[in-house]
Amino acid sequence: MALRVNEENFEKEVLNSEIPVLADFYSDSCVPCKRLSPVLAEIEEELSSDIKFVKININFDGTIAEKYEVYSVPTLVFFKSGSELSRLSGAVDKKAILELLK
């Protein structure tokens, strides 16, 4: 299950992670976010040894969303070695997410 990340542990869990991180910026009231959640859980089950999966609720941790210019949800941001490598916005399919992670 994806780790819930907030302003207190973002640096440790995402920026200082030894493995790449896929950050799911979401909102509890977002229907596309809810549809994407089981897809992400399935991918996490397949790739959890290679990639860390985290969730960031923009309603509670808007400062992180602002810093990374996340203006819509869902937005997936792929980090490696503390830097953003790529991102996807909107309700994307599993294939698109796997392409992002390659």
Side-chain angles (χ1 to χ4, degrees), residues 49-69:
S49 61
D50 300 320
I51 298 171
K52 182 189 291 187
F53 290 77
V54 302
K55 296 182 80 62
I56 301 164
N57 189 320
I58 64 160
N59 296 318
F60 299 109
D61 296 297
T63 305
I64 300 170
E66 284 180 32
K67 180 176 180 179
Y68 289 95
E69 299 178 350

Side-chain angles (χ1 to χ4, degrees), residues 7-56:
E7 292 177 29
E8 293 176 11
N9 63 356
F10 180 81
E11 185 173 340
K12 176 186 177 222
E13 297 295 343
V14 177
L15 301 180
N16 295 334
S17 176
E18 294 186 9
I19 62 174
V21 177
L22 183 65
D24 173 20
F25 287 84
Y26 76 102
S27 169
D28 290 327
S29 61
C30 166
V31 174
C33 297
K34 292 176 183 178
R35 291 186 185 140
L36 185 60
S37 188
V39 175
L40 290 172
E42 186 178 315
I43 295 170
E44 180 181 10
E45 192 173 303
E46 296 170 10
L47 301 175
S48 64
S49 61
D50 300 320
I51 298 171
K52 182 189 291 187
F53 290 77
V54 302
K55 296 182 80 62
I56 301 164

